[in-house]
Amino acid sequence: MFKIVNAQFIAPGIKRFMIEAPRIARKQQPGQFVIIRICEQGERIPLTIERSDPERGTVNIVVQSIGKTTHLLNSLETGDSILDIVGPLGKPSEIASYGTVVTIGGGVGTAMAYPTAAAMKRAGNRVISIIGGRNKDLVILEDEMRGVSDTVFVTTDDGSYADKGLVTDKLRQLIENGTRIDLVLAVGPIPMMRAVAEMTRKERIRTMVSLNPIMIDGTGMCGGCRVLVEGKSEFACVDGPEFDAHRVDFAVLVQRNAMYRDAEKRSMDQYRLEVETRKPEAKQAPTEAVMAGCALEAKQ
Amino acid sequence: MTTEKTTTTTTTTTTKTKSKNPVPNRERIKMPRQHMPEQLPVLRAQQFTEVNLGYSEELARQEAIRCLECAKPTCVADCPVGVKVKEFVQLIVEGDFMGAAAKIREDNVLPAITGRVCPQEDHCEGACLLKKKGESLGIGYLERFVADYEQQHFDVKHIVKAPPTGKKVAIVGSGPSGLTAAGDLVQKGHSVHVFEALHEVGGVLVYGIPEFRLPKKIIRQQVDYMRAMGVDFETDVVVGRTVTIDELLEEEGFDAVFIATGAGLPQFMGISGEHLNGVYSANEFLTRINLMHAYEFPKYDEPMVDFRGKDVAVIGGGNTALDAIRSALRLGARKAYVLYRRSEAEMPARAEEAKHAKEEGIEFQVLTAPVEFLSDGKGWLTGVRCLKMQLGEPDASGRRRPVPIEGSEFDVPLSVAVIAIGTTANPIVQSTTPGLNTNKRGYIVADATTQRTSRQGVFAGGDIVTGAATVILAMGAGRRAAQGINEYLATGQWDQTIPALPNPA
């Protein structure tokens, strides 16, 4: 059991959890992730580590409600617990003095880009960050990114905040303006990472992307998270999660991530139904509900 | 406490007490082997409950009576952990089932597990003198009976262990090797802490071996027994990531570490189409079903491709391959194939498992080698293209090498294919432990008798040293490691030629 010492929404549907996990907090490095399991019947899902506090023994994760598990997780509050959190997993980002580093965060991907941006800054790089969201509310960690970047650009798809457009539009502008870029790190939705890769390939700018394939154990044992890298299988959990964007087959990643779409929809539909029908008596503490066997109650 | 014995014993002192067996030896040879009661194939092919039902007390005694009580029992010599087969079988004849359990426990801390999954035909039963006369003694079945009897009649007071030594040992991995070492070391009075990367204790026993062959309940009972003995378990710790071996030794005060991280990364075939949806590694396939209960979706959240009415094949001929395909059948597969590139004689799977699989309706297509996975053009598997093989000269493994027959391509239509062709070393511990020697394939180098590695205080055993093997061989390594650690903790000396020393207790 791992205690949630703090939980708060930082955007609609996006929640930040501070979880007591001293071993992970002590070891976490930028670019690494955790796998969590909420309850006995729960699935294991990989999640981003936004930061950790070795002194307090806590790690922060940022979670966007997408499927059943993330919805259930985001219904938990301060004082609740989750059954399992394991990590830090994956290889850390390669932090070095590159010169100018552009860190790009799309949506909740910004939470993964943030610790690497901070480490890049500490390593003496000039850090330009581009963060984006569909609208104003979905731009996250802007202040944090400003704190560790020389320049921050913000984009929204609908123009409700800062520059209207995509993060890649801003990257294109930088390139066209002749900005010297030594390394790009992009974390976010696959179409965004793929677009970044295409753009920087032509410019021969070294580009890393942090991939999020389907994963179970996170230790290399199952091979479910295999990605096609220049025609070879590599495992995101032990060889990644960061890969050279110009070597990754994004089409295969998209295809594999869609493997359980039907099952995921079924789980989510059932979850919604249960939440709606059980609303009146759903006031009990989620932890009790969760420990009673992953019951679907949620405080909503 | 008589756990001090070597695993390489070739003879066991003959018990001087007179045999209580009522049947003369020449009659025993004529007695047939008692069959293991099984679920009917038609029933079991649809559910995950255990296939073998277990001996009753009567069946167990009738079977035990067949033992010839050899003066030099070859069964004991052939057991990787040296279970005193003859002695425990005699105790069954006498009706002292708890005594028999205690006798097994002197050498084997996981009897309910080995009684179910150990390839006895390659060890004790393969060496049994009765086999030359007909059918070997059902040693595995008897072990299983005794272990289950013990579980039903268990009392904490049965646990015997030495006074505390004040020494701390960390075990990395809670599979058969780690659990065996933990059991042996805690009996010797050491404080034992087992780290497990997954959320459940048991390693391959939990994620790899299906419910119908080894129920999770049995593993939990055996682990609870070890908890009662005083072993500490900590799940969700990936040693090498969450904590390093050096930190365990230097910061967490462990006097020795045993690395038993087991089989590693699944091997793929490197053929076209391996990334198609519907192509699984056996590890992923079995982990979803066993550890994550995907067969109980949507009660459990982990999803799985829907097998109902679909054709499924496994590629490979080992126990893992059969576990996977028999699981697919239970999930509703219409046709279930084993595609194996050699002939059935070379199959590494246990004979009993192959027999069970066939009874359940699994089709064996041998001398068949996949060359390409076929796609529907939208990323989903539709079949596998295969080549027919013939057997040529023996290869390095001593088995006849399969040679492709030219122009023999044929397609097998499939919705799901499971690749079960073996594993390679997991690099996480090795790459984060400076000075730990590995061989060119990435496995940890360890002394064959003491399991010592190139790092002082660090021992290794099981699949992470040998490559993929069996539960009982991993347990044998766990036993040797426990002895090696015990000696090291007693003397503090790190010398490969150090002689065996008496139990510090």
Side-chain angles (χ1 to χ4, degrees):
Chain A
M1 294 290 284
F2 296 85
K3 195 168 178 203
I4 298 169
V5 289
N6 193 283
Q8 53 187 349
F9 280 103
I10 57 170
I14 302 177
K15 203 166 188 175
R16 180 199 270 141
F17 293 91
M18 184 187 277
I19 298 175
E20 222 168 66
R23 283 192 184 278
I24 304 174
R26 216 157 39 222
K27 298 291 284 184
Q28 181 258 339
Q29 293 176 65
Q32 292 185 300
F33 61 95
V34 289
I35 285 181
I36 65 108
R37 193 176 67 129
I38 302 173
C39 52
E40 194 51 45
Q41 280 102 318
E43 60 178 341
R44 294 168 65 99
I45 59 162
L47 290 169
T48 294
I49 307 174
E50 182 227 3
R51 72 177 90 182
S52 56
D53 184 341
E55 306 283 302
R56 269 187 91 168
T58 56
V59 291
N60 287 10
I61 56 173
V62 174
V63 184
Q64 183 167 28
S65 305
I66 297 170
K68 177 192 166 179
T69 300
T70 46
H71 273 93
L72 184 63
L73 186 56
N74 281 354
S75 74
L76 300 186
E77 294 177 357
T78 304
D80 292 336
S81 295
I82 57 171
L83 209 48
D84 301 285
I85 179 168
V86 60
L89 299 169
K91 285 184 181 164
S93 306
E94 278 179 39
I95 305 298
S97 179
Y98 296 95
T100 298
V101 176
V102 175
T103 50
I104 305 176
V108 76
T110 306
M112 189 83 169
Y114 164 67
T116 303
M120 288 294 187
K121 182 67 192 166
R122 284 195 299 273
N125 293 285
R126 176 180 173 223
V127 175
I128 302 172
S129 294
I130 310 172
I131 59 174
R134 283 204 312 279
N135 58 46
K136 183 182 181 203
D137 288 342
L138 294 173
V139 173
I140 62 165
L141 305 179
E142 184 183 345
D143 290 346
E144 284 85 346
M145 283 304 243
R146 289 199 186 278
V148 299
S149 313
D150 294 273
T151 315
V152 174
F153 297 103
V154 181
T155 64
T156 50
D157 296 10
D158 65 356
S160 56
Y161 179 60
D163 293 349
K164 183 174 174 12
L166 304 172
V167 288
T168 41
D169 297 333
K170 192 51 77 177
L171 177 65
R172 183 182 297 113
Q173 274 177 27
L174 287 176
I175 292 169
E176 284 170 358
N177 292 344
T179 310
R180 184 194 154 86
I181 302 172
D182 299 289
L183 177 75
V184 171
L185 169 82
V187 193
I190 298 171
M192 181 275 266
M193 293 192 286
R194 171 148 56 175
V196 168
E198 290 315 312
M199 198 173 286
T200 58
R201 187 196 310 274
K202 284 180 228 134
E203 309 296 328
R204 302 194 177 174
I205 300 169
R206 187 170 170 216
T207 301
M208 302 300 285
V209 284
S210 182
L211 304 184
N212 55 341
I214 287 170
M215 200 175 277
I216 307 179
D217 63 296
T219 66
M221 183 271 285
C222 88
C225 67
R226 64 192 187 272
V227 288
L228 198 56
V229 179
E230 274 185 346
K232 267 183 57 195
S233 276
E234 293 198 21
F235 296 168
C237 66
V238 289
D239 303 316
E242 284 180 21
F243 291 93
D244 180 340
H246 301 148
R247 299 171 60 223
V248 169
D249 188 328
F250 287 99
V252 163
L253 184 63
V254 169
Q255 163 222 309
R256 287 185 59 79
N257 275 6
M259 191 151 166
Y260 299 107
R261 197 175 280 155
D262 293 348
E264 285 159 1
K265 188 176 177 302
R266 203 176 141 196
S267 277
M268 188 61 218
D269 289 348
Q270 192 180 328
Y271 174 74
R272 276 221 173 87
L273 194 71
E274 299 243 356
V275 167
E276 275 162 24
T277 52
R278 289 199 199 175
K279 230 170 198 170
E281 65 268 33
K283 295 294 172 196
Q284 59 179 296
T287 303
E288 286 170 32
V290 162
M291 295 328 293
C294 241
L296 300 168
E297 289 89 345
K299 283 183 186 171
Q300 281 182 0
Chain B
M1 270 306 294
T2 51
T3 54
E4 198 59 40
K5 76 178 293 295
T6 63
T7 55
T8 50
T9 315
T10 47
T11 57
T12 297
T13 45
T14 318
T15 322
K16 293 293 173 203
T17 49
K18 202 173 169 340
S19 170
K20 304 243 171 69
N21 196 317
V23 184
N25 256 358
R26 60 180 184 285
E27 294 300 320
R28 294 182 210 172
I29 295 168
K30 294 179 199 155
M31 291 170 67
R33 177 171 159 134
Q34 297 301 317
H35 288 295
M36 168 61 75
E38 294 171 358
Q39 266 194 78
L40 287 175
V42 285
L43 286 180
R44 69 189 198 229
Q46 294 167 36
Q47 55 194 26
F48 276 82
T49 44
E50 201 177 1
V51 170
N52 287 345
L53 301 172
Y55 277 164
S56 62
E57 289 183 23
E58 291 69 32
L59 278 177
R61 289 185 72 175
Q62 278 178 42
E63 181 62 19
I65 281 170
R66 295 178 64 228
C67 178
L68 296 176
E69 298 169 70
C70 307
K72 289 181 181 178
T74 46
C75 49
V76 181
D78 260 32
C79 176
V81 296
V83 168
K84 299 176 197 81
V85 176
K86 181 175 120 176
E87 296 174 41
F88 96 73
V89 172
Q90 275 189 291
L91 287 163
I92 297 176
V93 173
E94 292 166 26
D96 180 5
F97 305 136
M98 288 308 273
K103 187 54 72 182
I104 296 174
R105 279 202 177 269
E106 289 175 6
D107 304 285
N108 174 4
V109 294
L110 306 170
I113 292 167
T114 48
R116 286 171 165 83
V117 301
C118 185
Q120 288 95 7
E121 63 270 27
D122 296 336
H123 299 289
C124 54
E125 293 184 21
C128 178
L129 205 62
L130 278 172
K131 196 182 173 192
K132 298 195 179 81
K133 318 271 180 189
E135 281 187 294
S136 61
L137 185 67
I139 299 168
Y141 295 163
L142 290 172
E143 181 177 54
R144 179 197 149 120
F145 164 76
V146 165
D148 290 354
Y149 184 93
E150 177 198 41
Q151 184 55 45
Q152 284 155 21
H153 300 82
F154 171 70
D155 190 324
V156 183
K157 71 178 192 301
H158 295 137
I159 290 173
V160 191
K161 65 180 202 183
T165 61
K167 300 284 185 186
K168 276 176 74 180
V169 184
I171 312 257
V172 183
S174 67
S177 200
L179 288 179
T180 300
D184 282 5
L185 287 164
V186 83
Q187 278 187 340
K188 294 205 160 76
H190 306 305
S191 160
V192 179
H193 195 93
V194 180
F195 294 98
E196 167 56 48
L198 292 170
H199 57 255
E200 199 167 328
V201 173
V204 71
L205 303 170
V206 166
Y207 74 75
I209 302 177
E211 188 75 14
F212 57 83
R213 211 149 69 79
L214 179 62
K216 303 286 163 294
K217 198 179 103 194
I218 301 292
I219 303 162
R220 285 197 201 106
Q221 286 166 352
Q222 301 274 293
V223 170
D224 285 346
Y225 193 105
M226 301 192 72
R227 283 205 176 93
M229 290 166 79
V231 177
D232 275 331
F233 290 94
E234 187 176 351
T235 52
D236 295 327
V237 176
V238 180
V239 172
R241 292 262 192 255
T242 316
V243 63
T244 63
I245 300 284
D246 286 291
E247 286 164 346
L248 292 177
L249 290 167
E250 284 155 27
E251 291 167 26
E252 300 204 13
F254 287 101
D255 300 293
V257 177
F258 176 47
I259 304 169
T261 48
L265 317 179
Q267 263 186 310
F268 289 91
M269 304 168 78
I271 65 176
S272 164
E274 247 165 15
H275 288 77
L276 291 169
N277 294 353
V279 180
Y280 288 93
S281 76
N283 278 5
E284 181 187 358
F285 184 87
L286 289 169
T287 299
R288 280 184 185 276
I289 294 172
N290 299 326
L291 178 72
M292 304 307 299
H293 294 255
Y295 66 96
E296 296 183 71
F297 181 88
K299 185 183 156 206
Y300 281 76
D301 290 333
E302 196 75 44
M304 190 89 200
V305 163
D306 192 346
F307 290 86
R308 285 169 296 181
K310 291 181 179 162
D311 297 347
V312 181
V314 68
I315 296 150
N319 288 316
T320 304
L322 295 189
D323 285 345
I325 199 65
R326 293 173 71 198
S327 298
L329 191 78
R330 284 159 172 77
L331 288 166
R334 183 177 61 178
K335 281 190 177 165
Y337 306 101
V338 173
L339 307 179
Y340 181 58
R341 64 197 185 113
R342 301 178 200 252
S343 79
E344 214 177 311
E346 286 87 22
M347 262 196 191
R350 290 188 62 198
E352 185 181 37
E353 304 310 325
K355 172 186 149 271
H356 281 161
K358 283 186 190 164
E359 286 169 358
E360 290 162 12
I362 284 157
E363 205 177 300
F364 284 53
Q365 290 206 10
V366 296
L367 293 165
T368 298
V371 290
E372 182 186 357
F373 291 107
L374 308 171
S375 157
D376 66 353
K378 294 176 208 148
W380 287 86
L381 180 77
T382 56
V384 60
R385 181 152 299 158
C386 299
L387 270 178
K388 270 290 171 200
M389 312 294 275
Q390 58 191 3
L391 291 180
E393 293 302 305
D395 63 13
S397 73
R399 298 174 299 178
R400 291 178 66 193
R401 186 193 304 275
V403 185
I405 300 171
E406 239 174 90
S408 66
E409 282 96 344
F410 67 102
D411 294 347
V412 183
L414 293 176
S415 298
V416 174
V418 182
I419 303 172
I421 58 166
T423 53
T424 57
N426 189 316
I428 293 179
V429 169
Q430 297 88 309
S431 65
T432 53
T433 312
L436 185 67
N437 287 354
T438 54
N439 66 19
K440 64 178 189 295
R441 292 190 302 148
Y443 292 104
I444 298 173
V445 177
D447 182 84
T449 40
T450 61
Q451 305 298 134
R452 290 178 180 195
T453 68
S454 55
R455 280 287 307 270
Q456 179 161 356
V458 181
F459 299 74
D463 284 6
I464 195 59
V465 169
T466 57
T470 59
V471 166
I472 191 68
L473 290 173
M475 289 175 60
R479 276 225 97 191
R480 291 192 299 276
Q483 284 174 1
I485 290 168
N486 203 37
E487 283 160 21
Y488 170 61
L489 294 179
T491 64
Q493 288 178 51
W494 193 260
D495 172 8
Q496 300 292 346
T497 56
I498 192 166
L501 286 166
N503 190 338

